[in-house]
Amino acid sequence: MTINGDKSLEERILKLKKERNAIILTHNYQRGEVQDIADFVGDSLELSRKASETTADVIVFCGVHFMAETAAIFNPDRIVLLPDMAAGCPMADMITAEQLRQKKKELPKATVVTYINSTAEVKAESDFCCTSANGVQIVESLNNEEVLFVPDQYLGHYISTKTGKKMTLWPGYCPTHAGIQPEDIIRRKQEYSRARVVVHPECRPEVIALADEVASTSGMIRYAGREDVSEIIVGTESGIIHRLQKENPGKKFIPVSEQAICPDMKLITLEKVLRSLETITPQVKVPEAIRIRAKAAVDRMLAIV
Ligand code: 13P
Ligand code: SF4
């Protein structure tokens, strides 16, 4: 579309993307218009896989810093752009590499399983990474009974109940998901009595207890596509509703609460994506010594699922 002789933002992004031989990878929580210009939209596991397979010269990552860092871990010779460097993940910043080293000294026999929502430095101190989509399988596959799980206590608690393994949990949490309360679900259930309740495993155990299904963001997309599902109360960041509605136009998706918004995910805009492609900044880089050790933990995950 052309407005006053100016190419639309979308057109300029797509043209520049071609010229730069770039790929746009976008998380399910991104603004609708940012999802719509992506080459691929997915959850953290799918995005990590895409990042490990790409042959593009430039990766524009529309998500938060740890996701772009994971792309950089796999692509030391490619340019990885995060259109706004301020887009972080507060949970990822709830543990430092030094804190993890101290904890490992207290639990020298434990296998360290680290949620992908973590810094590269923390991944470098870990045995395995996991995502919300594969955490249960990763922990189930371990022979060691002693597991230290960082940084999300709620995902760790969920994995521990599903696997029956006793795990030491770091007390981190996602402010957006921890903000969802059981009362929010109960209220929505009263309003929409036939709707299924689907929640992300970063939610509190009291919220998970009220759910029909617990799933990663892409797990939710698959669940919504089922023929027997027509109405869903969505217990995660509300940006996902754009994709749910687009792929299931006849179905109804109800945000669990108006507050379920991750401000960091919303920092990426079309204007910033364009500027990033024009200037080839800001770039995310991981120091080589950290990258090699962090990659080992992510590779161990990808070898299992
Ligand atoms: P998913 O891997 O399920 O997309 O989750 C990422 C995330 O940041 C959840 O808050
Ligand atoms: Fe981090 Fe939570 Fe935002 Fe996901 S929703 S990026 S876990 S703060």
Side-chain angles (χ1 to χ4, degrees):
M1 203 213 321
T2 305
I3 305 164
N4 297 334
D6 263 352
K7 278 196 174 146
S8 72
L9 267 176
E10 291 88 341
E11 272 181 283
R12 287 157 70 192
I13 290 169
L14 296 179
K15 183 166 176 285
L16 207 47
K17 188 186 77 162
K18 225 174 182 176
E19 287 169 19
R20 302 275 198 229
N21 187 26
I23 185 173
I24 303 181
L25 300 181
T26 296
H27 188 264
N28 287 321
Y29 294 157
Q30 289 286 294
R31 294 169 185 272
E33 63 272 22
V34 176
Q35 295 189 29
D36 291 344
I37 48 111
D39 293 291
F40 182 78
V41 184
D43 70 7
S44 305
L45 181 60
E46 293 169 335
L47 291 166
S48 302
R49 279 198 199 284
K50 281 281 168 200
S52 73
E53 290 160 2
T54 189
T55 55
D57 294 324
V58 176
I59 300 169
V60 184
F61 211 107
C62 300
V64 292
H65 191 265
F66 77 83
M67 296 177 175
E69 232 180 22
T70 307
I73 285 170
F74 283 113
N75 295 286
D77 300 326
R78 299 183 209 283
I79 292 170
V80 178
L81 301 173
L82 179 62
D84 188 331
M85 248 346 181
C89 169
M91 171 163 62
D93 296 332
M94 287 180 189
I95 185 166
T96 64
E98 182 50 32
Q99 286 172 315
L100 180 51
R101 280 192 287 272
Q102 286 305 321
K103 196 71 191 169
K104 280 163 61 174
K105 279 187 194 153
E106 287 170 33
L107 303 166
K109 293 203 194 100
T111 299
V112 180
V113 181
T114 295
Y115 191 22
I116 198 132
N117 296 36
S118 53
T119 62
E121 286 86 351
V122 166
K123 288 183 178 77
E125 294 294 332
S126 311
D127 297 307
F128 290 87
C129 263
C130 79
T131 73
S132 65
N134 65 18
V136 171
Q137 286 152 282
I138 298 291
V139 170
E140 235 160 24
S141 75
L142 303 177
N143 296 323
N144 191 354
E145 278 309 308
E146 211 179 322
V147 176
L148 168 61
F149 189 88
V150 306
D152 186 4
Q153 60 180 305
Y154 296 129
L155 177 63
H157 180 272
Y158 173 71
I159 294 173
S160 159
T161 57
K162 293 297 274 185
T163 58
K165 290 208 185 189
K166 205 173 162 295
M167 291 157 48
T168 301
L169 307 177
W170 190 262
Y173 61 92
C174 161
T176 302
H177 286 90
I180 300 172
Q181 302 297 332
E183 298 73 44
D184 296 320
I185 308 267
I186 293 163
R187 196 178 314 117
R188 287 295 196 230
K189 280 290 275 181
Q190 281 162 357
E191 291 165 342
Y192 303 92
S193 57
R194 289 200 315 267
R196 307 270 179 94
V197 177
V198 184
V199 306
H200 196 274
E202 287 176 14
C203 289
R204 297 170 179 278
E206 315 86 270
V207 168
I208 287 181
L210 298 171
D212 297 300
E213 182 79 4
V214 182
S216 76
T217 56
S218 288
M220 290 184 187
I221 304 276
R222 285 189 292 278
Y223 184 83
R226 278 172 41 168
E227 266 180 25
D228 61 329
V229 174
S230 59
E231 211 172 305
I232 293 184
I233 295 166
V234 182
T236 193
E237 211 275 349
S238 55
I240 196 176
I241 291 180
H242 174 78
R243 185 170 166 202
L244 287 168
Q245 203 66 76
K246 196 170 160 183
E247 293 185 10
N248 304 279
K251 301 190 179 184
K252 191 167 180 61
F253 300 100
I254 306 124
V256 67
S257 126
E258 302 309 326
Q259 271 81 55
I261 292 171
C262 172
D264 288 86
M265 283 282 178
K266 299 299 174 265
L267 285 175
I268 311 294
T269 61
L270 286 183
E271 286 80 2
K272 289 178 192 170
V273 172
L274 179 62
R275 192 167 163 65
S276 192
L277 271 166
E278 281 170 349
T279 59
I280 306 294
T281 61
Q283 296 187 18
V284 174
K285 292 186 186 299
V286 180
E288 192 58 11
I290 302 280
R291 188 188 75 79
I292 289 171
R293 292 169 60 219
K295 183 171 181 294
V298 184
D299 281 341
R300 281 182 214 115
M301 166 184 89
L302 293 176
I304 296 171
V305 280

